[in-house]
Each structure stands twice: as C-alpha cells, then as structure tokens.
Amino acid sequence: MISTNFISATKKFSSYEYETHIPAPYIRKTFDIINEIDSAKITICGLGFYELFINGKRITKGLLAPYISNPDDILYYDEYDLTELLLKDKNAIGIMLGNGMLNCFGGTVWEMEKAVFRSAPKVALALEIVYKNGEKIVITADETFKTHPSPILFDDLRCGEIYDANKEIKGWNLPDFDDSAWENCISAETPRGETKICTAEPIVAVKKLNPVSIIKDKRVVLDEAWRHPLIKVEVPMPAEDKIGYLYDFGENSAGLFTLKIKGEKGQRISIQTGEVLNQNGDLDIRGMHFQPDAFQHRAVYTLKGEGIEEYTSTFTYYGFRYCLVSGITEEQATKDLLTYTVMSSNLQKNGDFSCSNEIVNRLQRATFNSDVSNFYYFPTDCPHREKNGWTADAALSAEQMLFNLTPENSYHVWLDNIRKAQREDGALPGIVPTSGWGFEWGNGPAWDSVLFYLPYYTWIQRGDTDIIKENAGAMVRYLNYISTKRDQMGLIHIGLGDWLPINYKTPYTPLEVTDTLVTLNLCRLAEKMFAAVDMLPQSIFAGALFDEIREDARKALILPDGVTIMGRSQTAQAMAIEFGLLEESEKQGALNVLVDLIHAADDHLDSGCLGARIILHTLAKFGYAELAYKMITRTDYPSYGHWVEKEDATTLFEDFRHPSAQPASKNHHFFGDISSWFFKHITGVKINPLDRDVKEIEISPNFIESLEHAEGYQNHLCGKLESKWVREENIIKLTVTVPEGCYGFLKLPKGYSIHDNSHNPIYRYAIKELTPGVTEYIINAD
C-alpha cells in the first residue's frame, strides 16, 4: 500500500544564502499490537532522504534512501517487512529526514534553488498490519506524529553536515520514550511525481580503508579571490579550520568517514575532504569550487564529552582521498581517529582484465574505482564536487561499465527519470535529475545520446530487449526533435562538442561535425534497436532520417580530397569512419589521415572525451592496435599512462590538463572506455559482435608485442566467458572459455596461425569456429 499523505516538522527550510540552518528532524509515532501478527509491511517515501527505525533498530536499506530524483517527476517509496520486528504491546516508528534533492541548496550552480518542489523535508508512509484473526490495521503519516530537532544542524548532499552531539536525545526512537514535550507534525503538500516502489540497487558499504599516513600542520588551499560565477553567496572558511592533521587513505574514492574520538564537551572538530595535494603537500580544494568555501564537502562535529564518541554523516557522502582534521590535539591524531568506508550502489563485479604491464593494470583498476565511486543510484560525473547525473558521462561509459559491473537494473530505473525529464518537444536536459536546468546549455546530441547508448549496450551485452521497448517512444520523440534542428545545409550544431580537448591550443573539432555525426550514429542504433523488437515503422523512420542526414553531411563535411573531414582532427576522422558517414571504399583513406594526424602529434591522443572513446577502437579495428596501445600506455604528458605513472592516479581524471595547472576533478569515469578497449582488443572478448544475438561470441585478440601475457573475463548471460594468452618461448598459448549455449568464432590477427603441439600449422585461416568449454590453442607467427 502506498500513501501520499505527507507530513513535515515545519514549513521552514535551510536557505541557499547559508544564513538559516534548519536541523534535520526527528519524527516518531507509537502504536500498540493487540493480537498475534500474520504480516506487517511498511512503505515509506522520505524526501529528500530518510532514515527509518523500528523500536530503535535501523532498518534503512542503505545510504541516501529512497533515491535521488525530481519528486515532481517520480516519488520513490521503499518497502520493508516488519513482521519479525514488531513487539506485543507498544512499538515505535522513528524517522530522520534530510534535505536531499528536495532542498538541494548546495546546487545553486544548476539553479536547484529555483525548483518549484523545494520545501522542508517531508515523509509519507503506510504501515499495514494483518492479524492472524484477519483483522487489518493501517497507519499513515498524519499530525499525530511527533517531531523534534535532531543533532544534525545542517545537511546538504554536496556541502556536508554539521553535527552537535550535545543535542542528541537518548532513546528517542524507542517505544517507551516520553515525547509529550515534542511538537506535532504538520500536513505537507504532496509532490506531483508518479509513485513507484524503488527497485534500484541500494547504496551500501563496499570496503574499509585505514589511513596510510598522518601529517601535522597541513593547510587547506583555497582560491579566495575566485568563485564560480553562479555561486550566489560566499561564506569564508573559519581560520582555525584551515590548518590541521592531514589523513591520507592512499586511494581516491567516495563514501563516508567515521570519526572515533574521546574529548572534552564542546570540542569542535572540522573534517575537510579533498582528493589532491599541492606541491607543498597541502590539501588543494580549488577544484571543488561549486559551493562556498565554508561548505565545500566537509563535516563539523561538536563533542558531548561522554567517553568514546563515533560520528558518521547521515544525509551526504564525500569524494576524497584525504581528510584535513582541525580542532584535535596531537594525542587525538591517531590512525584510529578516522576510518574510510567506500560506498556505492550494490552492483556486482562483472569482469576484469590484467596483463604483464602494470601501467595497464593500474589503469584498469583506476577505471573500476572511478565507476564504483561514481555510481550512486546512477552514474555521476564526480563525487567530490557536482554529484550530478551528467548524461554524456553515462553515455560515454555505458559499454565499459557493463563490462566491469552490473548496472543494467539501475539503468532501467534511471532511464525512467530521463524520460520524465524529457520535454514535450523531445529535448533532453544535460543532467538528470534536474529542477529544469540543462536545456539551454549542457546538452546536445552527444549528451542526449544517453537515451540511446544505455539501451543499446544493455541489449548488446545482456540481451535485454525490454530496455528498448521502455524507451522506444522517447527515442522516436527525440529523433523527431533533433531532425528539426538542422540548418540550411542539413547540419546540426546545438550542443556541447568534443569536451575537454587534451591540447587546449588545438581548435575543437567543429561542433557541426560532432553533433551531426553523433546524430547519424543515434539514427543507426535506433534503426537496429527498433528492428530487434519488431517496431518496423519506427525502424524505417530512423533509417530514413539516417539517410537524409548522411546525404547532407557528406556534401558539407567531406573535404575535396574525399578522405579528410571538416576540422581535420583525430576526432573528426574517427567519427566519420565509425558513425557511418563514409563508404567502405573511403574508410582506408580517412584512416590514413587519422594515422598521419596521430603521428604529427608524436603518437599522442589529441581529442576531447568524445573522440577518446572511439579513436582507439577505430585504430584497432583497422590493424593499428599497437599504435593505440602505445597511445594509452606511454608515460609522457599527455597520456593515460602519465596519470598513473607520474601523477599517482588511483581513479581517472576529468581532463589531461598539465599537473602544474589548477586541479580539476581527479575522479571522473568518462575517459574510462580504455577498459573496454583492453577487453575487446587485447584479450579480444566481443559479445554480440554483429548486433543480432547475445549468445554470439567473437574472440579476436591482439598479441601486443611488449606484453608477455593478458587475460580478461566476463560474466556472460550463459556463464563465464574468458580469454587469456601467454608467451612461451616462440609460441603463444591462447586459452578460451566459452559458456554452454554460446557460439561464435576465433579470429586471429594477420600473420598468425594455429599450430599443433609440434608447432606444425594446422589452421592457417583467420577464422575458426568456437566450441563451448575450455579450449587451448597454440598460436605462432607465420
């Protein structure tokens, strides 16, 4: 049963000017059980976030429950079975509420303060009790629920928390607590969103980290002369909070720290999180400039002075490697003071890759760490600054996340929100959820591609056609919308382009190129997806739009030599090859231009995030896997290898700016497609290579000359799919594990053949049929 009767503690809520802090409320209700229970179930929607207790026991599914959404789009409820938790006679429901998305004042850069749904935290619930005699009782939220301010004096998803332990109320959520002095709750407006039970994986603990070092007298580095132009107000950080003990946990990630301390009543402790140090070893948070200085992802805790105290934030999380702790004594600055709990959506590991090059292994681990620390119900852009569901970030990582994790169910849920955010004319915002921001800037075909890429890659790798059916209408509406955005030449240039180019002195690939060619690709993918679910009219429509755009684009974008694309960039050449602009006979010439451009850049990648996802795959497909591998693993600047070898990266970075520049994010996943490149082009694992059957497999490894061994696996729908190879003397041993029910082909690179145990060639052809089970092949160069 779902109830939409909402209550709140007050109508007042914390202001985006940071002048008024309204504490998170305690809310409680007692009730009696008079007969033997057959079943008891509660459904609850706590906005923005809630914590639920039954008779003092916390039963909340995970962090930041129920979800992060626009409540005028979707209202998420969680459901709990209370049958074994209720007591004979008196019982108590206890609730704490946080601001969450409902009052997201730390998001003024994205105009969250203008949200029409903005209000004080509120809750709706229905407790349904069925006695064994058949009698049924239903308790819903109303004005008889009691409320009192909690010790959480301030909370915001991005800013952090302020907690005063002196304001704790012992036993507040127990049945026998005396709440006669508490206020009654008040009725609250019901948001307009569709009601749903939340089926997304909860946010849970992944692992614990202990500090690897503690350094005294370190400082917080701020750029107090500059702030983001859309920050509406500045609040200086107190001077005493700018110096303290620097805790290094050795790994950049996201989650919560737990403070464990014994001290004096009234002792005030500041914990500033961050992910990068400057050249002096101080905590540099200049890259976290989207909130006022005093509220940049930190917590302030005041002790009650009663023995050992523990504190963990309730309604936020932090992205960090380092914590600067101020307000403690040298005796308190122990390794036991802080523990790091890495958290993420409860996704499972789906695959892995390793090889004899530790730089590659570190990049694979960095990609996995970035994926995990940026998945809080849906892919986010960074955990320490924005925490937004940027659509391009998710689109660019869709394939590699499905290799590494199991996000498909969460993709379904987030796509519900994406469809709700879609405007009537078909336009999409750049972030989801949003209060309305992201239509005028921050979107465009490369960002909007999330509506196509998530269903496409989930279908390809999981065989899921429901995700296509659920989003087909929205995809058609988007294609109709984007078809109206063509200029007189038939080109599209309305959004963000090849974002964050590596060489900032090199001109961007023209927006006409990226927007038009991405749209071309969306039409092509839609045509395939619609055909896969027997939506033939829609498939024909997408194919016809592809033909129209392609005809115009060929006239406008291909230069007179017939092989160079407008802008003459690595991105432009690769997109033209990959996204269907060129005829088959033209691709080799365009590839030659691409390779020349790479050599002209001294074999460095020279693109933004859009090009980086496809350039390396294009090279490998056309026989240049060694060049692509070199571009990834080289350790001079700029390169992926430089990140891990010279900059000690444990997660992927937002861009390739020089290490001496003001830091940007050090935890982004949208350059993470190198992980899928490792799987697909070193171990050669390709699922559904012809877009027709998820059980069809291709194993087409590249035996990179500098590698001694490589291995990768995927948990395929039918079982474990694995490819590994190792050099032994003058041969390569390739072992392939194909799950029962799968079929396909082994494709060897040019110049290799299969030999028998005496090294005599027995199979000189490039393609051999795969059989289920474990098969070992002896490979040798011809």
Side-chain angles (χ1 to χ4, degrees):
M1 176 180 177
I2 287 178
S3 169
T4 56
N5 296 328
F6 279 84
I7 59 171
S8 62
T10 176
K11 292 189 179 297
K12 298 179 181 178
F13 49 88
S14 298
S15 68
Y16 71 87
E17 296 91 349
Y18 297 88
E19 294 173 348
T20 304
H21 300 336
I22 305 298
Y26 284 144
I27 293 175
R28 61 176 273 118
K29 170 73 174 180
T30 57
F31 59 96
D32 291 326
I33 297 295
I34 57 174
N35 289 311
E36 192 174 355
I37 292 175
D38 183 62
S39 65
K41 182 174 66 176
I42 191 171
T43 56
I44 181 171
C45 175
L47 299 175
F49 303 133
Y50 74 87
E51 287 285 311
L52 177 61
F53 303 83
I54 299 297
N55 297 326
K57 181 179 179 180
R58 180 185 182 272
I59 66 168
T60 321
K61 66 178 182 182
L63 185 67
L64 310 182
Y67 194 75
I68 302 173
S69 67
N70 178 329
D72 278 347
D73 287 340
I74 301 178
L75 282 174
Y76 284 104
Y77 287 73
D78 289 323
E79 193 172 62
Y80 301 91
D81 186 347
L82 305 187
T83 307
E84 302 300 322
L85 296 177
L86 298 186
L87 307 172
K88 187 67 181 295
D89 299 323
K90 199 169 187 180
N91 291 266
I93 301 170
I95 302 165
M96 295 178 70
L97 295 177
N99 285 302
M101 185 72 181
L102 192 65
N103 180 26
C104 204
F105 49 87
T108 56
V109 169
W110 308 281
E111 299 182 345
M112 297 295 186
E113 81 283 1
K114 296 181 181 179
V116 296
F117 54 75
R118 190 165 174 245
S119 75
K122 62 183 77 173
V123 63
L125 62 84
L127 171 56
E128 190 173 12
I129 301 168
V130 178
Y131 293 127
K132 288 194 173 180
N133 64 7
E135 184 183 357
K136 181 177 176 181
I137 296 173
V138 176
I139 298 171
T140 59
D142 60 23
E143 291 90 338
T144 65
F145 280 59
K146 295 287 191 172
T147 184
H148 192 281
S150 80
I152 301 175
L153 306 183
F154 170 96
D155 71 274
D156 179 78
L157 178 62
R158 295 173 178 85
C159 296
E161 279 190 6
I162 299 174
Y163 188 99
D164 188 346
N166 297 283
K167 298 184 180 297
E168 292 176 349
I169 300 176
K170 189 175 181 179
W172 70 273
N173 50 16
L174 295 175
D176 292 328
F177 177 79
D178 181 5
D179 60 15
S180 59
W182 286 29
E183 299 291 329
N184 287 78
C185 289
I186 61 174
S187 179
E189 182 180 357
T190 300
R192 294 175 291 181
E194 176 187 359
T195 60
K196 281 179 176 281
I197 297 294
C198 185
T199 57
E201 288 84 352
I203 298 167
V204 299
V206 174
K207 62 181 178 181
K208 302 274 188 183
L209 298 175
N210 295 313
V212 297
S213 69
I214 306 168
I215 304 176
K216 184 181 180 181
D217 292 336
K218 287 301 174 182
R219 297 180 178 275
V220 174
V221 180
L222 299 161
D223 191 349
E224 295 174 339
W226 185 91
R227 68 172 184 261
H228 194 285
L230 294 180
I231 293 178
K232 306 298 190 292
V233 64
E234 185 54 275
V235 184
M237 181 181 289
E240 63 270 22
D241 295 346
K242 295 181 183 179
I243 185 169
Y245 292 84
L246 184 73
Y247 279 68
D248 179 3
F249 290 91
E251 179 182 307
N252 200 12
S253 196
L256 297 171
F257 53 80
T258 296
L259 173 69
K260 188 175 182 180
I261 190 169
K262 182 177 182 180
E264 299 295 323
K265 180 180 178 67
Q267 183 180 358
R268 178 184 173 278
I269 299 171
S270 166
I271 304 170
Q272 174 65 61
T273 61
E275 57 170 8
V276 64
L277 305 181
N278 70 0
Q279 64 273 19
N280 297 321
D282 291 320
L283 186 61
D284 192 339
I285 63 170
R286 291 177 296 163
M288 299 163 56
H289 50 226
F290 282 44
Q291 291 80 35
D293 289 345
F295 295 95
Q296 289 197 44
H297 300 257
R298 72 183 189 123
V300 177
Y301 178 83
T302 302
L303 276 70
K304 59 186 175 185
E306 298 177 8
I308 296 175
E309 303 178 37
E310 287 194 18
Y311 164 73
T312 305
S313 296
T314 303
F315 295 124
T316 187
Y317 70 99
Y318 307 90
F320 66 102
R321 171 174 173 170
Y322 306 98
C323 288
L324 188 84
V325 186
S326 306
I328 60 173
T329 66
E330 189 165 358
E331 291 72 26
Q332 291 171 323
T334 66
K335 285 196 172 184
D336 295 329
L337 181 77
L338 290 182
T339 305
Y340 192 163
T341 302
V342 174
M343 304 194 78
S344 182
S345 283
N346 192 23
L347 310 182
Q348 304 306 306
K349 189 171 186 177
N350 191 63
D352 203 358
F353 173 90
S354 64
C355 67
S356 56
N357 186 339
E358 189 56 25
I359 289 174
V360 174
N361 296 338
R362 290 175 67 186
L363 286 170
Q364 169 62 19
R365 289 194 297 269
T367 302
F368 186 83
N369 288 345
S370 292
D371 290 349
V372 168
S373 52
N374 279 288
F375 212 109
Y376 278 63
Y377 293 127
F378 46 79
T380 61
D381 63 324
C382 56
H384 62 282
R385 187 182 70 199
E386 298 190 38
K387 301 178 180 176
N388 278 322
W390 276 99
T391 51
D393 297 53
L396 292 169
S397 286
E399 184 176 26
Q400 65 90 356
M401 279 197 177
L402 283 157
F403 272 120
N404 285 299
L405 294 164
T406 56
E408 53 270 25
N409 177 62
S410 286
Y411 281 172
H412 273 275
V413 176
W414 191 42
L415 280 162
D416 289 344
N417 291 267
I418 291 172
R419 295 195 305 275
K420 287 287 188 178
Q422 187 176 31
R423 236 171 31 194
E424 191 63 34
D425 65 356
L428 290 166
I431 59 172
V432 177
T434 179
S435 63
W437 185 91
F439 288 100
E440 301 303 319
W441 186 90
N443 57 351
W447 272 243
D448 307 336
S449 64
V450 69
L451 181 61
F452 298 77
Y453 284 8
L454 296 192
Y456 173 75
Y457 286 111
T458 303
W459 166 54
I460 290 298
Q461 294 197 42
R462 303 291 194 264
D464 181 359
T465 55
D466 287 342
I467 199 169
I468 299 174
K469 296 172 185 176
E470 291 166 7
N471 294 283
M475 286 190 272
V476 169
R477 195 178 347 157
Y478 181 80
L479 292 180
N480 276 312
Y481 158 77
I482 201 65
S483 69
T484 68
K485 298 301 177 182
R486 291 175 284 178
D487 66 13
Q488 292 180 338
M489 299 178 67
L491 303 180
I492 300 165
H493 42 93
I494 64 168
L496 300 181
D498 199 16
W499 191 246
L500 299 175
I502 291 173
N503 183 353
Y504 286 91
K505 295 180 181 178
T506 299
Y508 285 86
T509 299
L511 186 59
E512 294 89 340
V513 173
T514 54
D515 269 7
T516 303
L517 295 188
V518 168
T519 302
L520 200 63
N521 190 46
L522 300 185
C523 293
R524 183 178 62 170
L525 299 185
E527 182 182 14
K528 292 180 181 180
M529 287 189 281
F530 294 152
V533 294
D534 297 324
M535 297 178 66
L536 297 184
Q538 292 86 345
S539 181
I540 291 169
F541 162 69
L545 185 58
F546 173 91
D547 291 338
E548 286 181 26
I549 295 173
R550 184 175 186 264
E551 182 178 358
D552 290 335
R554 284 182 58 82
K555 294 174 185 177
L557 300 183
I558 302 175
L559 299 187
D561 65 1
V563 293
T564 303
I565 310 305
M566 178 193 292
R568 200 173 184 274
S569 68
Q570 293 182 19
T571 296
Q573 295 300 127
M575 278 191 171
I577 295 167
E578 289 293 308
F579 289 170
L581 180 69
L582 300 176
E583 302 288 351
E584 285 299 319
S585 60
E586 299 166 334
K587 289 183 178 180
Q588 186 61 52
L591 179 76
N592 293 340
V593 175
L594 171 60
V595 173
D596 287 344
L597 288 169
I598 292 170
H599 289 330
D602 192 26
D603 291 353
H604 282 94
L605 192 66
D606 186 11
S607 74
C609 61
L610 304 185
R613 194 184 75 84
I614 57 171
I615 291 166
L616 302 168
H617 289 286
T618 303
L619 291 171
K621 288 178 184 177
F622 284 85
Y624 285 91
E626 290 282 353
L627 176 57
Y629 178 81
K630 176 184 178 182
M631 294 165 70
I632 295 169
T633 59
R634 62 186 306 159
T635 58
D636 58 336
Y637 174 82
S639 68
Y640 292 95
H642 190 273
W643 284 350
V644 295
E645 184 70 7
K646 301 297 175 62
E647 299 185 67
D648 192 29
T650 60
T651 46
L652 301 179
F653 295 172
E654 180 181 15
D655 60 23
F656 289 86
R657 70 180 63 191
H658 196 274
S660 62
Q662 178 170 319
S665 167
K666 301 296 184 184
N667 194 349
H668 261 63
H669 58 84
F670 69 5
F671 278 108
D673 196 66
I674 51 171
S675 179
S676 69
W677 192 92
F678 299 151
F679 283 114
K680 294 173 72 173
H681 298 296
I682 296 183
T683 54
V685 176
K686 300 179 178 71
I687 299 171
N688 199 356
L690 300 179
D691 296 3
R692 61 187 183 188
D693 186 357
V694 71
K695 296 181 181 180
E696 185 172 4
I697 305 299
E698 178 185 311
I699 304 294
S700 50
N702 284 285
F703 306 117
I704 302 298
E705 291 182 5
S706 61
L707 292 180
E708 292 300 315
H709 60 83
E711 60 183 280
Y713 78 88
Q714 289 290 300
N715 291 323
H716 185 273
L717 194 66
C718 297
K720 187 175 184 179
L721 171 64
E722 185 175 30
S723 170
K724 55 184 177 181
W725 56 264
V726 58
R727 296 184 189 276
E728 294 184 3
E729 297 179 354
N730 296 321
I731 64 168
I732 297 170
K733 281 190 177 180
L734 171 66
T735 304
V736 177
T737 302
V738 177
E740 195 67 39
C742 289
Y743 66 96
F745 294 91
L746 166 65
K747 294 184 178 181
L748 296 179
K750 185 178 180 180
Y752 289 88
S753 58
I754 299 174
H755 289 229
D756 62 19
N757 290 330
S758 299
H759 298 185
N760 297 313
I762 58 173
Y763 202 89
R764 292 186 179 275
Y765 299 103
I767 301 175
K768 182 174 178 58
E769 187 173 358
L770 293 170
T771 56
V774 180
T775 306
E776 184 177 282
Y777 303 92
I778 297 175
I779 311 294
N780 210 337
D782 294 340

